Amino acid sequence: MKELSLNILDITENSTKAGAKNIIISIVEQGGCMTVTIKDDGCGMTKEILQSVVDPFYTTRTTRKVGMGIPLFKLAAEQTGGSLKIESVCEQDDPVQHGTTVTAVFHTDHIDCPPMGDIVSTLTTLIGGNPDVHFLFSHQMDGKTVGLDTDELKSVLGDVPLNTFEVLKWIEAYLKEQYDAPSSI
């Protein structure tokens, strides 16, 4: 994938397929490094699956025989001199504190660092397709933080679903406004 936002979309979709009700997406850019963390409370992975998940010829999908999302994200991070770490607790091992955390570190000054891409569209796509999931998004960079908490939106909107056209357009405009705002530095 040529843009990190597409990797984030793919991995977060894996979280929703794993039954996650809460997903935290955190991007922190500081000192020539960008750390992307996606944490969920889905069913988690067994130790066997966790060991195999970076292999492109391993997938739990039945529609195809390869799974490229995690391996491509790992490759993208490593090509910049960065890394990928996956931690997971399977629901059978811990019925309360289960889930998966994927953390990728990119060296942003490296020539092979992929661009972020359209993170706003990624978020609106995720929210539109999964309106019942609690998304907590934070992107810290350049002396400012862009953020969104869908639980806060739900408390204001009441019975209005997050995946209505007008709400998704507002979310898109709200995020773009935050990205366009000048830094506080």
Side-chain angles (χ1 to χ4, degrees), residues 79-80 107-115:
Q79 283 181 329
T80 71
H107 293 275
T108 56
D109 54 356
H110 194 282
I111 192 168
D112 289 327
C113 188

Side-chain angles (χ1 to χ4, degrees), residues 10-144:
D10 181 66
I11 291 167
T12 307
E13 280 295 328
N14 290 344
S15 295
T16 63
K17 289 174 185 161
K21 297 296 177 205
N22 297 285
I23 300 173
I24 300 169
I25 301 170
S26 169
I27 305 167
V28 178
E29 295 183 55
Q30 183 177 5
C33 280
M34 177 172 42
T35 303
V36 177
T37 305
I38 302 163
K39 181 177 182 175
D40 71 51
D41 63 353
C43 64
M45 293 181 266
T46 65
K47 290 176 183 163
E48 295 78 26
I49 291 174
L50 188 58
Q51 290 173 349
S52 301
V53 77
V54 294
D55 179 355
F57 298 103
Y58 175 82
T59 184
T60 58
R61 293 183 180 179
T62 57
T63 56
R64 62 178 189 233
K65 296 181 185 205
V66 294
M68 297 301 288
I70 297 277
L72 287 175
F73 198 41
K74 179 178 189 266
L75 177 65
E78 289 176 346
Q79 283 181 329
T80 71
S83 61
L84 178 89
K85 178 180 176 184
I86 304 172
E87 299 169 299
S88 191
V89 176
C90 187
E91 191 170 18
Q92 288 97 355
D93 295 338
D94 190 337
V96 178
Q97 297 292 323
H98 52 84
T100 301
T101 302
V102 177
T103 304
V105 177
F106 297 85
H107 293 275
T108 56
D109 54 356
H110 194 282
I111 192 168
D112 289 327
C113 188
M116 175 55 66
D118 191 354
I119 192 68
V120 171
S121 289
T122 290
L123 291 167
T124 55
T125 298
L126 288 166
I127 294 166
N130 306 281
D132 296 327
V133 173
H134 171 220
F135 289 99
L136 182 60
F137 172 74
S138 173
H139 187 172
Q140 298 174 22
M141 74 204 129
D142 301 327
K144 68 178 174 181

